[in-house]
Amino acid sequence: MDTALKAIADPKRREILRLVWSSEMPATDIASHFHDVTRSAISQHLGVLRHANLICERRAGNRRLYRANVEEMARLRTFLDQYWSGGLDRLKTAAEAAQQKKENRHG
Amino acid sequence: MDTALKAIADPKRREILRLVWSSEMPATDIASHFHDVTRSAISQHLGVLRHANLICERRAGNRRLYRANVEEMARLRTFLDQYWSGGLDRLKTAAEAAQQKKENRHG
DNA sequence: TTCTTACGTAAGCATTCGCTTACACTATAG
DNA sequence: CTATAGTGTAAGCGAATGCTTACGTAAGAA
């Protein structure tokens, strides 16, 4: 999960994910969207995303078609949502513990 | 925004944020929660979080009390939510464009 | 004042990152 | 077969990261 989080922390990789979110795209097309870096750099970014399981690869003849792994991204989103709500959960747990204590005192 | 994302990509920093989420805590107490690294390392993590505007610092006598900057975290969350829904937006836009085209053909 | 506590920070080091160039490989075209 | 897209990968490099030790400094304690 940490790998995925670190992967999306990079703006280029987020942009790549955007490109292959709703449709698959060959590596060259992906690379040609970035005019400030080499195709090799993008290929390495694709490697990072693949290693984080955030994209899937399909080979078609000469090409490699990429698409976002939406399930993994959903998992990542859920992880973060749980993290955001963690503070509230913590408050809730503390409140319940206090309540329990109170009841024990009174029982 | 990128700074904040990279900041929370680190598990120790996420744990620190958890600690100061619902109540402020002095730096020493924060550091004492981590038994595998030095106080200095935690201090530097606090610096990263501060630089990302994810925590607020308040000085009280000798101590520095930290608490999570929930507004900034909310902003980060919103940013990510928009990112997650970006794929859907893209589909929607594409669908609308197709519809527009269709209407033009028929008009 | 002198000690002690609670911190930030500089220096140094090993690791990782993002990038480039150069090369290797595969599949199709000729 | 040779040539040419399409693509990953190794090597190398400068910058950033995460860590440690050592030091600096401000605020109370004695």
Side-chain angles (χ1 to χ4, degrees), chain A residues 4-74:
Chain A
L5 205 40
K6 279 188 173 141
I8 67 154
D10 184 276
K12 281 207 181 61
R13 287 196 286 264
R14 282 200 305 276
E15 183 59 23
I16 290 177
L17 279 178
R18 272 235 161 88
L19 289 174
V20 299
W21 190 295
S22 52
S23 65
E24 52 185 12
M25 186 179 286
T28 301
D29 289 16
I30 296 174
S32 68
H33 271 79
F34 299 89
H35 304 287
D36 53 340
V37 290
T38 322
R39 179 195 61 77
S40 178
I42 299 302
S43 181
Q44 288 171 63
H45 278 307
L46 286 171
V48 172
L49 289 170
R50 199 186 318 123
H51 183 250
N53 197 28
L54 286 171
I55 53 173
C56 305
E57 180 190 314
R58 181 172 73 91
R59 304 199 180 191
N62 216 4
R63 304 215 173 84
R64 303 201 186 185
L65 303 170
Y66 291 98
R67 68 174 172 80
N69 183 352
V70 289
E71 286 110 22
E72 188 64 23
M73 295 192 62

Side-chain angles (χ1 to χ4, degrees), chain B residues 39-59:
Chain B
R39 180 195 60 79
S40 177
I42 298 303
S43 181
Q44 288 170 64
H45 278 306
L46 285 171
V48 172
L49 290 171
R50 199 187 317 125
H51 183 251
N53 197 27
L54 286 170
I55 53 173
C56 305
E57 180 189 314
R58 182 173 73 90
R59 306 199 179 190

Side-chain angles (χ1 to χ4, degrees), chain A residues 94-105:
Chain A
E96 284 170 356
Q99 183 64 26
Q100 195 63 39
K101 212 169 165 186
K102 203 171 168 184
E103 284 172 6
N104 287 347
R105 265 207 313 278

